[in-house]
Amino acid sequence: MVSRLLTILLALCASVLAIPPPESQRVLIVHDEANSDLDVQSLGADLVSRGYNVDVAQFTQHPQLLHFGERVYDNVLILSGKLKAFGKTLRAADFLQHMKLGGNLLMLSTPKHNPSTVREVADQLGFTVAPKGVEYANDFNNDLVAHQAYIIPEASGDLNGASVAKLGDNELLLPLISGAPTSYSFNRMKQAANTTVSDVFALGEDNTLAVGLQTLSNARFAWIGSPELLKGEIGNKLTSWVFKEMNNLRLVKATHVNELGESDVFYQVNEPVVYCAQVEEWDPKDGKWYAYLYRDEIQLELRMLDPYYRLNLKRTGCIAFNMPDQYGMFTFHLDYKTPGFSFLKDDQIVTVLQRSNDAWDRSWTITNSWVYLGGVTTSVMGFMAFVVLYLAAPSVGTDGTESTDGKVEKASSQTKKAESSSASTGTKSEPKKKKS
């Protein structure tokens, strides 16, 4: 089904310079003999020299994209020909499933070769490919507009006669190359005398010549309206982006620790926290992952229903802050979406607790409380001193003499009682005589 002879020969010649991409080594090129504007052998040789395992097939050979629910290739390149449809194995649903499983897709169509399958895929992704016969035209210059500086820095060339597309409302769509403000597109198959304004498909920069899209699962897609966009520097940049050689990021890990360096899902209100995200970018020249130098700041959100904090990570990938003065369930939410770069997303749920009773500062560590502590201490010590002195002091009688014996004190009290009783009766008590 698939011819691999050319691939093997080219790989032997270019294996010394090959640096395999990280996650997209298997490439399928499907073409039609009717499309003679593009040299498929040169395109395959270029991809092999960049480290890809390339299979080349024709539409009539019915190559399969899926096998038992799994994708067979990492990257698929469709070069449309005279066929209106690609067959049972290359339906629009198969292409969309290929992307859903993480595969990359690049499709080419022209005003002469504009299959219904390509238009159906475009409709599903949110943009519209011009009908058959609609061509791009610019009668003033060959200027082009490159919208994504991180993918295609600049573009120029004569693309008169290319196919165009109109972008829809899909936020994930990227206009890669569009026409100059003086450009327009219309159906040249009609007689010029019968052409009206309603026959114009698009004007100015609405004529998109190359469309890009990256799904939330980081599968990449591109549509181009001319074989010229697969040649030269623009072609290298375009295929490098679609096949994830460039702007390919990965989140290695994301951690959060407290001030003691302990990683836990339980924090206390106002507790210091350090959050770090290790992000790496693929370097196709060295074939290695390197630390990502942020072109745009990566933003971290600490949210509970709504964000409490929005913080920008530093170039080290870390940020230090204090937990809010609010207890509950919080989420460290990292969502990095820069157009043209791999999307990064990470959510980690933590619990923020109120401080326990023994977690607060003790009163003696607060300087303002020393006055009150001193007053309480003085009062307690004064009371204790009074009790000790009171208990230790000797007893004092009514006549002012100190009594040291309890019995004498009792006798004196009885004598005083007797005297008081005799005084009340008017008699004087005499002591009794002892019998001999």
Short mmCIF file of all heavy atoms in Angstrom, two decimals, residues 361-399:
data_model
loop_
_atom_site.label_atom_id
_atom_site.label_comp_id
_atom_site.label_asym_id
_atom_site.label_seq_id
_atom_site.Cartn_x
_atom_site.Cartn_y
_atom_site.Cartn_z
N ASP A 361 0.27 33.38 68.41
CA ASP A 361 1.39 33.85 69.22
C ASP A 361 0.98 33.93 70.69
O ASP A 361 -0.13 34.35 71.03
CB ASP A 361 1.85 35.23 68.74
CG ASP A 361 2.44 35.18 67.34
OD1 ASP A 361 2.93 34.10 66.97
OD2 ASP A 361 2.41 36.21 66.65
N ARG A 362 1.90 33.51 71.56
CA ARG A 362 1.64 33.61 72.99
C ARG A 362 1.65 35.07 73.42
O ARG A 362 2.27 35.92 72.78
CB ARG A 362 2.68 32.82 73.77
CG ARG A 362 2.74 31.33 73.44
CD ARG A 362 1.47 30.60 73.88
NE ARG A 362 0.45 30.56 72.82
CZ ARG A 362 -0.74 30.04 72.98
NH1 ARG A 362 -1.11 29.56 74.16
NH2 ARG A 362 -1.59 30.04 71.99
N SER A 363 0.95 35.35 74.55
CA SER A 363 0.80 36.74 74.98
C SER A 363 2.13 37.38 75.35
O SER A 363 2.33 38.58 75.14
CB SER A 363 -0.15 36.80 76.16
OG SER A 363 0.32 36.00 77.23
N TRP A 364 3.06 36.58 75.88
CA TRP A 364 4.33 37.18 76.30
C TRP A 364 5.24 37.55 75.13
O TRP A 364 6.24 38.22 75.31
CB TRP A 364 5.07 36.25 77.25
CG TRP A 364 5.26 34.86 76.70
CD1 TRP A 364 6.20 34.44 75.83
CD2 TRP A 364 4.46 33.72 77.00
NE1 TRP A 364 6.05 33.11 75.55
CE2 TRP A 364 4.99 32.63 76.25
CE3 TRP A 364 3.34 33.51 77.83
CZ2 TRP A 364 4.44 31.36 76.31
CZ3 TRP A 364 2.83 32.24 77.88
CH2 TRP A 364 3.35 31.17 77.13
N THR A 365 4.87 37.09 73.93
CA THR A 365 5.65 37.49 72.76
C THR A 365 5.16 38.80 72.16
O THR A 365 5.78 39.31 71.23
CB THR A 365 5.60 36.38 71.70
OG1 THR A 365 4.26 36.21 71.26
CG2 THR A 365 6.13 35.06 72.25
N ILE A 366 4.06 39.34 72.68
CA ILE A 366 3.50 40.60 72.18
C ILE A 366 3.93 41.70 73.13
O ILE A 366 3.56 41.71 74.32
CB ILE A 366 1.97 40.51 72.09
CG1 ILE A 366 1.55 39.33 71.21
CG2 ILE A 366 1.39 41.81 71.54
CD1 ILE A 366 0.06 39.09 71.16
N THR A 367 4.69 42.66 72.68
CA THR A 367 5.26 43.69 73.56
C THR A 367 4.18 44.58 74.16
O THR A 367 4.34 45.06 75.30
CB THR A 367 6.25 44.55 72.77
OG1 THR A 367 5.59 45.09 71.61
CG2 THR A 367 7.43 43.70 72.29
N ASN A 368 3.09 44.81 73.45
CA ASN A 368 2.04 45.68 73.99
C ASN A 368 1.34 45.07 75.19
O ASN A 368 0.66 45.79 75.94
CB ASN A 368 1.01 45.98 72.91
CG ASN A 368 1.56 46.88 71.81
OD1 ASN A 368 2.57 47.56 72.02
ND2 ASN A 368 0.92 46.90 70.66
N SER A 369 1.47 43.77 75.37
CA SER A 369 0.80 43.13 76.49
C SER A 369 1.65 43.10 77.76
O SER A 369 1.17 42.66 78.80
CB SER A 369 0.43 41.69 76.11
OG SER A 369 1.60 40.89 75.95
N TRP A 370 2.88 43.56 77.67
CA TRP A 370 3.75 43.48 78.85
C TRP A 370 3.23 44.35 80.00
O TRP A 370 3.39 44.01 81.17
CB TRP A 370 5.17 43.90 78.47
CG TRP A 370 5.85 42.89 77.57
CD1 TRP A 370 5.36 41.70 77.17
CD2 TRP A 370 7.13 43.04 76.97
NE1 TRP A 370 6.25 41.06 76.35
CE2 TRP A 370 7.36 41.87 76.20
CE3 TRP A 370 8.11 44.03 76.98
CZ2 TRP A 370 8.52 41.66 75.48
CZ3 TRP A 370 9.28 43.82 76.26
CH2 TRP A 370 9.49 42.64 75.51
N VAL A 371 2.60 45.49 79.71
CA VAL A 371 2.05 46.35 80.77
C VAL A 371 0.97 45.60 81.54
O VAL A 371 0.96 45.61 82.79
CB VAL A 371 1.49 47.63 80.15
CG1 VAL A 371 0.82 48.50 81.21
CG2 VAL A 371 2.59 48.41 79.44
N TYR A 372 0.08 44.93 80.83
CA TYR A 372 -1.00 44.21 81.49
C TYR A 372 -0.49 42.98 82.21
O TYR A 372 -0.96 42.64 83.30
CB TYR A 372 -2.07 43.82 80.46
CG TYR A 372 -2.54 45.01 79.65
CD1 TYR A 372 -2.04 45.26 78.38
CD2 TYR A 372 -3.46 45.89 80.19
CE1 TYR A 372 -2.46 46.34 77.64
CE2 TYR A 372 -3.90 46.99 79.46
CZ TYR A 372 -3.39 47.21 78.18
OH TYR A 372 -3.80 48.30 77.47
N LEU A 373 0.45 42.30 81.61
CA LEU A 373 1.05 41.15 82.29
C LEU A 373 1.77 41.59 83.57
O LEU A 373 1.72 40.89 84.60
CB LEU A 373 2.02 40.43 81.36
CG LEU A 373 1.39 39.68 80.18
CD1 LEU A 373 2.48 39.09 79.28
CD2 LEU A 373 0.48 38.57 80.66
N GLY A 374 2.44 42.75 83.51
CA GLY A 374 3.10 43.26 84.71
C GLY A 374 2.11 43.60 85.80
O GLY A 374 2.35 43.32 86.99
N GLY A 375 0.98 44.20 85.43
CA GLY A 375 -0.05 44.51 86.43
C GLY A 375 -0.62 43.27 87.07
O GLY A 375 -0.82 43.21 88.29
N VAL A 376 -0.93 42.26 86.27
CA VAL A 376 -1.47 41.01 86.82
C VAL A 376 -0.45 40.34 87.73
O VAL A 376 -0.78 39.87 88.83
CB VAL A 376 -1.88 40.08 85.67
CG1 VAL A 376 -2.25 38.70 86.20
CG2 VAL A 376 -3.03 40.67 84.89
N THR A 377 0.80 40.30 87.28
CA THR A 377 1.85 39.67 88.09
C THR A 377 2.02 40.39 89.42
O THR A 377 2.14 39.76 90.49
CB THR A 377 3.17 39.65 87.31
OG1 THR A 377 2.97 38.98 86.06
CG2 THR A 377 4.25 38.92 88.09
N THR A 378 2.02 41.73 89.40
CA THR A 378 2.17 42.50 90.64
C THR A 378 1.01 42.26 91.59
O THR A 378 1.19 42.09 92.81
CB THR A 378 2.28 43.99 90.30
OG1 THR A 378 3.37 44.20 89.41
CG2 THR A 378 2.51 44.81 91.55
N SER A 379 -0.21 42.21 91.07
CA SER A 379 -1.38 41.97 91.92
C SER A 379 -1.32 40.59 92.56
O SER A 379 -1.59 40.43 93.77
CB SER A 379 -2.66 42.10 91.09
OG SER A 379 -2.76 43.40 90.54
N VAL A 380 -0.97 39.58 91.80
CA VAL A 380 -0.89 38.23 92.35
C VAL A 380 0.19 38.13 93.40
O VAL A 380 -0.01 37.56 94.49
CB VAL A 380 -0.66 37.22 91.21
CG1 VAL A 380 -0.40 35.82 91.77
CG2 VAL A 380 -1.86 37.18 90.28
N MET A 381 1.36 38.68 93.10
CA MET A 381 2.47 38.60 94.07
C MET A 381 2.15 39.39 95.33
O MET A 381 2.48 38.98 96.46
CB MET A 381 3.74 39.12 93.43
CG MET A 381 4.25 38.23 92.30
SD MET A 381 5.77 38.83 91.55
CE MET A 381 6.89 38.68 92.95
N GLY A 382 1.47 40.57 95.19
CA GLY A 382 1.09 41.35 96.39
C GLY A 382 0.10 40.60 97.25
O GLY A 382 0.20 40.61 98.50
N PHE A 383 -0.90 39.95 96.62
CA PHE A 383 -1.87 39.18 97.39
C PHE A 383 -1.20 38.02 98.12
O PHE A 383 -1.50 37.75 99.30
CB PHE A 383 -2.96 38.69 96.46
CG PHE A 383 -3.98 37.80 97.14
CD1 PHE A 383 -4.96 38.35 97.96
CD2 PHE A 383 -3.94 36.43 96.99
CE1 PHE A 383 -5.88 37.54 98.59
CE2 PHE A 383 -4.86 35.62 97.63
CZ PHE A 383 -5.84 36.18 98.43
N MET A 384 -0.30 37.31 97.46
CA MET A 384 0.39 36.20 98.10
C MET A 384 1.26 36.68 99.26
O MET A 384 1.33 36.04 100.32
CB MET A 384 1.23 35.46 97.06
CG MET A 384 0.40 34.74 96.00
SD MET A 384 1.42 33.89 94.78
CE MET A 384 2.21 32.69 95.84
N ALA A 385 1.90 37.81 99.09
CA ALA A 385 2.72 38.35 100.18
C ALA A 385 1.86 38.72 101.38
O ALA A 385 2.22 38.49 102.55
CB ALA A 385 3.50 39.57 99.67
N PHE A 386 0.67 39.31 101.13
CA PHE A 386 -0.25 39.65 102.21
C PHE A 386 -0.69 38.41 102.97
O PHE A 386 -0.73 38.40 104.22
CB PHE A 386 -1.44 40.39 101.64
CG PHE A 386 -2.56 40.56 102.62
CD1 PHE A 386 -2.48 41.52 103.62
CD2 PHE A 386 -3.68 39.75 102.56
CE1 PHE A 386 -3.51 41.66 104.54
CE2 PHE A 386 -4.70 39.90 103.47
CZ PHE A 386 -4.63 40.86 104.46
N VAL A 387 -1.04 37.34 102.26
CA VAL A 387 -1.49 36.11 102.93
C VAL A 387 -0.38 35.53 103.79
O VAL A 387 -0.60 35.11 104.94
CB VAL A 387 -1.98 35.10 101.87
CG1 VAL A 387 -2.26 33.75 102.51
CG2 VAL A 387 -3.23 35.62 101.20
N VAL A 388 0.81 35.50 103.27
CA VAL A 388 1.93 34.93 104.03
C VAL A 388 2.19 35.75 105.29
O VAL A 388 2.37 35.22 106.40
CB VAL A 388 3.19 34.86 103.15
CG1 VAL A 388 4.41 34.48 103.99
CG2 VAL A 388 2.98 33.86 102.03
N LEU A 389 2.21 37.07 105.17
CA LEU A 389 2.45 37.92 106.33
C LEU A 389 1.33 37.81 107.36
O LEU A 389 1.56 37.82 108.57
CB LEU A 389 2.62 39.37 105.88
CG LEU A 389 3.87 39.65 105.04
CD1 LEU A 389 3.86 41.10 104.57
CD2 LEU A 389 5.14 39.35 105.82
N TYR A 390 0.11 37.69 106.87
CA TYR A 390 -1.03 37.58 107.79
C TYR A 390 -0.99 36.28 108.57
O TYR A 390 -1.26 36.25 109.78
CB TYR A 390 -2.33 37.69 107.00
CG TYR A 390 -3.56 37.57 107.85
CD1 TYR A 390 -4.04 38.68 108.56
CD2 TYR A 390 -4.24 36.36 107.94
CE1 TYR A 390 -5.17 38.57 109.35
CE2 TYR A 390 -5.37 36.25 108.74
CZ TYR A 390 -5.84 37.36 109.44
OH TYR A 390 -6.94 37.24 110.23
N LEU A 391 -0.66 35.20 107.92
CA LEU A 391 -0.61 33.91 108.61
C LEU A 391 0.60 33.79 109.52
O LEU A 391 0.56 33.10 110.55
CB LEU A 391 -0.61 32.77 107.58
CG LEU A 391 -1.88 32.65 106.73
CD1 LEU A 391 -1.72 31.52 105.72
CD2 LEU A 391 -3.10 32.40 107.60
N ALA A 392 1.68 34.44 109.17
CA ALA A 392 2.90 34.33 109.97
C ALA A 392 2.92 35.27 111.16
O ALA A 392 3.68 35.07 112.11
CB ALA A 392 4.12 34.58 109.07
N ALA A 393 2.10 36.31 111.25
CA ALA A 393 2.11 37.29 112.35
C ALA A 393 1.51 36.68 113.61
O ALA A 393 0.54 35.90 113.54
CB ALA A 393 1.35 38.53 111.92
N PRO A 394 2.01 37.00 114.92
CA PRO A 394 1.45 36.47 116.18
C PRO A 394 0.09 37.10 116.50
O PRO A 394 -0.20 38.22 116.08
CB PRO A 394 2.50 36.85 117.22
CG PRO A 394 3.19 38.04 116.64
CD PRO A 394 3.19 37.85 115.16
N SER A 395 -0.75 36.35 117.33
CA SER A 395 -2.07 36.85 117.70
C SER A 395 -1.95 37.90 118.80
O SER A 395 -1.08 37.83 119.66
CB SER A 395 -2.95 35.70 118.21
OG SER A 395 -3.06 34.71 117.20
N VAL A 396 -2.83 38.85 118.93
CA VAL A 396 -2.83 39.94 119.89
C VAL A 396 -4.12 39.91 120.68
O VAL A 396 -5.22 39.86 120.09
CB VAL A 396 -2.65 41.30 119.18
CG1 VAL A 396 -2.64 42.44 120.20
CG2 VAL A 396 -1.38 41.30 118.37
N GLY A 397 -4.02 39.86 122.04
CA GLY A 397 -5.20 39.83 122.90
C GLY A 397 -5.88 41.17 122.98
O GLY A 397 -5.40 42.18 122.48
N THR A 398 -7.04 41.20 123.89
CA THR A 398 -7.79 42.45 124.04
C THR A 398 -7.06 43.45 124.92
O THR A 398 -7.27 44.66 124.81
CB THR A 398 -9.17 42.16 124.63
OG1 THR A 398 -9.02 41.47 125.87
CG2 THR A 398 -9.98 41.32 123.67
N ASP A 399 -6.22 42.91 125.84
CA ASP A 399 -5.47 43.82 126.71
C ASP A 399 -4.18 44.27 126.09
O ASP A 399 -3.35 44.91 126.76
CB ASP A 399 -5.21 43.14 128.06
CG ASP A 399 -4.48 41.82 127.89
OD1 ASP A 399 -4.32 41.38 126.69
OD2 ASP A 399 -4.09 41.22 128.90
#
